[in-house]
Amino acid sequence: MNVGTAHSEVNPNTRVMNSRGMWLSYILGIGLLHIILLSIPFASVPVVWTLTNLIHNLCMYLLLHTVKGTPFETPDQGKARLLTHWEQMDYGVQFTASRKFLTITPIVLTLVCTSSTLPVLSPPPLLLIVCCFTRLTSAHTCACPDSLPPASC
């Protein structure tokens, strides 16, 4: 039993993207990353958009699809220990508002990046495909970086 915890969720990872202001904070974080990259003196705007897109997609892939477990002890008897954050979100229910938002955001960022950059600097479509494929229902519990994949893969 977790004594002294303030939440009523068994696993707080399930509702973190539904909390108040989280979507706005996410968008503001992308904007802050872009502004920080714009402050690099030798980087042009097309290069900065490409870097913003690449850093965002790489960080989201690592945080949502490779890190497993929870950063705190949960009373679920180890069920969340083998799941990534994407699989824990919204109790594993597919096509919720949070999941749609997190799926559409890299697509929109790629479109903005592609429309504002030169054809040479446009982001690689493979990165967008990998970023969106791992969020599909068919890839649920199968995108595992561990040496022993689950039996369902």
Side-chain angles (χ1 to χ4, degrees), residues 3 22-23 25 28 31 33 54 59 66 84 88 95-97 105 143:
V3 178
M22 189 62 187
W23 290 10
S25 300
L28 289 176
L33 171 67
L54 291 174
C59 288
T66 60
T84 62
Q88 294 175 37
F95 307 115
T96 60
T105 303

Side-chain angles (χ1 to χ4, degrees), residues 54-123:
L54 291 174
I55 291 170
H56 169 265
N57 286 346
L58 182 65
C59 288
M60 287 290 90
Y61 177 76
L62 291 175
L63 293 175
L64 290 177
H65 302 292
T66 60
V67 178
K68 292 186 175 187
T70 59
F72 35 78
E73 182 182 350
T74 58
D76 64 357
Q77 299 181 357
K79 292 179 186 175
R81 186 174 55 88
L82 300 175
L83 298 176
T84 62
H85 183 72
W86 182 260
E87 295 164 348
Q88 294 175 37
M89 198 173 12
D90 297 326
Y91 297 105
V93 176
Q94 298 293 323
F95 307 115
T96 60
S98 296
R99 287 177 183 247
K100 289 177 185 177
F101 173 75
L102 288 174
T103 302
I104 290 173
T105 303
I107 296 170
V108 170
L109 190 60
T110 301
L111 290 175
V112 168
C113 179
T114 305
S115 67
S116 66
T117 63
L118 304 170
V120 176
L121 295 174
S122 63

Side-chain angles (χ1 to χ4, degrees), residues 6-86:
H7 55 80
S8 61
E9 297 286 336
V10 173
N11 182 0
N13 274 355
T14 59
R15 295 284 179 200
V16 71
M17 282 307 289
N18 291 331
S19 59
R20 173 180 272 173
M22 189 62 187
W23 290 10
L24 179 63
S25 300
Y26 181 74
I27 297 296
L28 289 176
I30 295 171
L32 181 66
L33 171 67
H34 185 68
I35 290 172
I36 289 171
L37 292 174
L38 277 173
S39 67
I40 299 172
F42 57 85
S44 65
V45 174
V47 170
V48 168
W49 270 116
T50 303
L51 285 175
T52 302
N53 189 18
L54 291 174
I55 291 170
H56 169 265
N57 286 346
L58 182 65
C59 288
M60 287 290 90
Y61 177 76
L62 291 175
L63 293 175
L64 290 177
H65 302 292
T66 60
V67 178
K68 292 186 175 187
T70 59
F72 35 78
E73 182 182 350
T74 58
D76 64 357
Q77 299 181 357
K79 292 179 186 175
R81 186 174 55 88
L82 300 175
L83 298 176
T84 62
H85 183 72
W86 182 260

